[in-house]
Amino acid sequence: MVDRVAIVTGASRGLGRGTARGLARKGMTVYLTGRTVDDLEEVVREVDAAGGRGFIAPCDHGNDGEVQTLIDRVEREQGRLDLLVNNAAAVNVAELTRPGPFWEKDLGLADMINIGLRSNYVASYFAAPLMIRTGGSLIVNISFYGAVSYHFSPAYGAAKAGTDKMVHDMAIDAKDTDLSIVSLWPGIIRSDNIRDLRVEDFPLEMQTIVPEMERPEFTGLVITELLDDPERKALSGQTLIGAQLGRKYGVVDVDGKAPRDWTETMGTPTVFFVR
């Protein structure tokens, strides 16, 4: 069996880091992007320990030339690219989650649009030709319920809603290829930096949902099942919910639970018009 090759952008922390570990559990070769080598060294060790092969791939996703260099490197070293997970968000989390209206927050949050959303487009742009030549390939753009309900900031919502519409339109362009392109909404993530907190360590208003928070590896596990799905092309262009894919493919979280979807409280994906 040919080793499958993936790129995970924004893999130095959070969802990207955990997604890479999830992919590694299925033995994938994973190129991990981040701004510096130091940010990625520990992630590579985690990927290797989980059963995959990790490669450090420093990349500023605000620099188109560096993104093109990354894709050229993967083609030169591996000759294929089966999976691209666009997760880089260019977000200042502390500023994003600070209370207050958008005009009282740092204007730098607009980078979620002009770097975060744009970086998904740019990485897909440079990767698509190689992925089409590879065949049976998949681009997953990480989005969230913030595409349809208010979360944190208008910049956040615009980036997520833009991702979902962009995926819909990219899939139309790729309809005559064996490249599938989807948007994926994970649940509320219990990432590494809060993994070991007790329920009582969380704010009071969050304590009831802590048991339902997803580990970030779950996203990687459902993505590998989608990549393996011979009917994945029928899903191309759609916005998918990770928890629903988990139920479809029989995937559980690393702690054994079946993650919930949040559609009742946070909304459902927009259905776009196809003429």
Side-chain angles (χ1 to χ4, degrees):
M1 179 179 177
V2 175
D3 287 341
R4 291 179 300 178
V5 178
I7 295 173
V8 178
T9 74
S12 60
R13 59 183 61 84
L15 181 66
R17 183 172 183 163
T19 296
R21 294 196 299 260
L23 300 178
R25 287 176 173 232
K26 300 296 184 177
M28 294 188 70
T29 294
V30 188
Y31 283 74
L32 306 146
T33 83
R35 287 183 177 272
T36 68
V37 170
D38 291 346
D39 289 340
L40 296 167
E41 287 178 337
E42 180 62 26
V43 190
V44 165
R45 287 192 286 270
E46 292 172 356
V47 166
D48 291 347
R53 290 195 304 157
F55 288 88
I56 292 174
C59 183
D60 176 359
H61 284 276
N63 184 318
D64 297 352
E66 290 191 20
V67 179
Q68 183 172 18
T69 297
L70 166 67
I71 303 302
D72 291 344
R73 175 190 168 190
V74 172
E75 181 168 20
R76 182 177 64 254
E77 293 179 357
Q78 306 295 336
R80 62 187 297 115
L81 179 58
D82 300 270
L83 174 66
L84 169 63
V85 180
N86 281 319
N87 172 71
V91 59
N92 180 333
V93 175
E95 185 64 16
L96 178 67
T97 57
R98 182 171 66 85
F102 73 89
W103 59 87
E104 294 180 359
K105 295 185 179 184
D106 192 322
L107 186 58
L109 288 180
D111 285 346
M112 295 195 69
I113 303 169
N114 57 34
I115 297 178
L117 174 58
R118 188 178 185 277
S119 74
N120 294 343
Y121 185 96
V122 172
S124 301
Y125 175 89
F126 287 120
L130 173 58
M131 299 183 79
I132 291 168
R133 291 195 296 274
T134 299
S137 53
L138 174 67
I139 296 175
V140 177
N141 293 273
I142 300 299
S143 184
F144 192 63
Y145 295 86
V148 297
S149 55
Y150 183 88
H151 291 260
F152 311 123
S153 161
Y156 184 88
K160 300 308 181 185
T163 294
D164 293 354
K165 180 58 164 63
M166 180 183 69
V167 161
H168 171 267
D169 292 357
M170 283 182 170
I172 291 174
D173 285 353
K175 64 182 175 60
D176 294 326
T177 75
D178 198 18
L179 169 63
S180 302
I181 307 172
V182 303
S183 188
L184 181 65
W185 292 2
I188 300 173
I189 300 299
R190 189 164 185 168
S191 53
D192 295 350
N193 61 322
I194 60 172
R195 177 181 57 197
D196 297 326
L197 295 181
R198 300 168 301 172
V199 171
E200 55 266 33
D201 294 327
F202 287 83
L204 185 62
E205 65 273 16
M206 291 186 63
Q207 290 180 8
T208 59
I209 68 170
V210 169
E212 298 179 299
M213 296 173 76
E214 287 177 19
R215 293 290 293 133
E217 289 91 342
F218 178 74
T219 293
L221 296 174
V222 297
I223 287 173
T224 59
E225 294 297 325
L226 179 59
L227 180 60
D228 285 339
D229 188 345
E231 303 299 323
R232 67 185 169 278
K233 189 67 177 180
L235 300 175
S236 190
Q238 295 186 30
T239 297
L240 308 173
I241 294 172
Q244 294 178 358
L245 284 180
R247 290 198 297 271
K248 175 180 179 178
Y249 296 128
V251 177
V252 297
D253 208 342
V254 292
D255 61 6
K257 72 174 179 298
R260 64 169 283 189
D261 70 63
W262 299 86
T263 52
E264 287 188 6
T265 57
M266 294 196 288
T268 58
T270 300
V271 177
F272 298 109
F273 180 75
V274 180
R275 61 181 176 86

